[in-house]
Amino acid sequence: MPKLSFSHWTDPLCIWAFVAQDQLDRLLAEHAPRLVVDSRVVPIFGSIAWRFTHGPWSSGGVEARVRATAEIAHAHGHPEVDGSCWRGDCPSSSWAPGAAIKAVAALEHAGHAEPGTTGHYQHALRKLFFVEGQNIARRSKQLEAAEALGIARAGIEERLDDGSALALLAEDLQEKERLKLQGSPTYVFDHGRAMLYGNFPYGVLHATVEELLRGLGPEGSAC
């Protein structure tokens, strides 16, 4: 049976990606045998300090970001998120957890981790940040999350130490610019022929995948 492959682009510190995970989980539950997901990193939050001092969060500061995060989470069925992750020991950049995600992706692509491991790891890191308030830019937290999923830490450390994980993150950034992705989360189908970005109803995602799956057959797609 032919399978539909698509890429799912998210930033590790994106609250919209966190709440939208429910949609992806639902989609996989319905069509898992026919879907192949390539979990990619779209690094948006390169400098958290800049966002608070000169960027889009500068007018409201930390407390405004805390409130906004909690409001988004609560509106999408996640009352366990209170937004306090932006206080105290807050990550300086999403590039650090992004590199750890690419290290896991390299392990998965090399056959040293089960298919789908990268996506599970991404969500585990986001949950560690948004729910538990942990600084996922710290390597210790990245490795703890990996071990909890049964991922060997040695492979991650090797790829972080030799720079290969960071190189893969740079490749994701280049691809993000080539595709002109607007942000996180973004679904990319058929090498960019179809994209879904941001907060949209599940029905849109479901209908898109249904049509593309139908297009894998001999009659072609209606998209």
Side-chain angles (χ1 to χ4, degrees):
M1 180 180 294
K3 295 186 177 184
L4 173 65
S5 298
F6 62 90
S7 54
H8 181 228
W9 295 75
T10 62
D11 185 285
L13 301 180
C14 176
I15 183 59
W16 289 107
F18 177 80
V19 299
Q21 182 68 35
D22 296 340
Q23 292 189 350
L24 179 58
D25 291 343
R26 182 177 172 185
L27 184 72
L28 291 174
E30 294 182 24
H31 298 290
R34 300 198 63 190
L35 300 179
V36 178
V37 185
D38 182 19
S39 297
R40 306 289 291 269
V41 177
V42 51
I44 298 171
F45 305 125
S47 172
I48 298 300
W50 175 85
R51 294 185 78 86
F52 279 126
T53 55
H54 299 92
W57 299 345
S58 58
S59 60
V62 172
E63 292 309 310
R65 179 52 27 189
V66 168
R67 291 192 299 272
T69 298
E71 288 172 2
I72 292 169
H74 293 185
H76 290 82
H78 288 277
E80 71 277 16
V81 175
D82 62 9
S84 61
C85 51
W86 298 110
R87 299 191 189 106
D89 188 21
C90 173
S92 298
S93 172
S94 66
W95 284 50
I101 291 167
K102 297 311 297 184
V104 172
L107 292 173
E108 181 179 339
H109 292 160
H112 301 310
E114 294 293 323
T117 297
T118 306
H120 293 315
Y121 181 62
Q122 277 186 320
H123 184 57
L125 284 180
R126 266 193 288 270
K127 186 175 181 180
L128 198 61
F129 175 60
F130 286 112
V131 178
E132 300 184 29
Q134 300 296 311
N135 185 346
I136 58 173
R138 297 190 181 280
R139 183 178 294 198
S140 60
K141 298 301 178 181
Q142 297 162 9
L143 296 176
E144 286 176 13
E147 290 182 323
L149 293 174
I151 307 170
R153 62 187 294 156
I156 297 175
E157 290 183 301
E158 178 182 353
R159 286 160 177 80
L160 290 174
D161 289 339
D162 68 10
S164 59
L166 195 59
L168 291 174
L169 185 62
E171 291 178 16
D172 273 7
L173 178 60
Q174 291 175 340
E175 183 67 0
K176 174 251 185 187
E177 293 175 346
R178 185 188 73 81
L179 292 169
K180 296 180 173 58
L181 301 187
Q182 298 182 59
S184 167
T186 299
Y187 290 86
V188 177
F189 303 93
D190 197 14
H191 306 287
R193 191 167 64 93
M195 296 187 194
L196 293 174
Y197 161 61
N199 181 32
F200 48 83
Y202 176 71
V204 175
L205 176 61
H206 183 267
T208 300
V209 169
E210 286 273 316
E211 286 299 313
L212 290 172
L213 283 171
R214 189 175 297 116
L216 296 175
E219 295 183 357
S221 174
C223 286

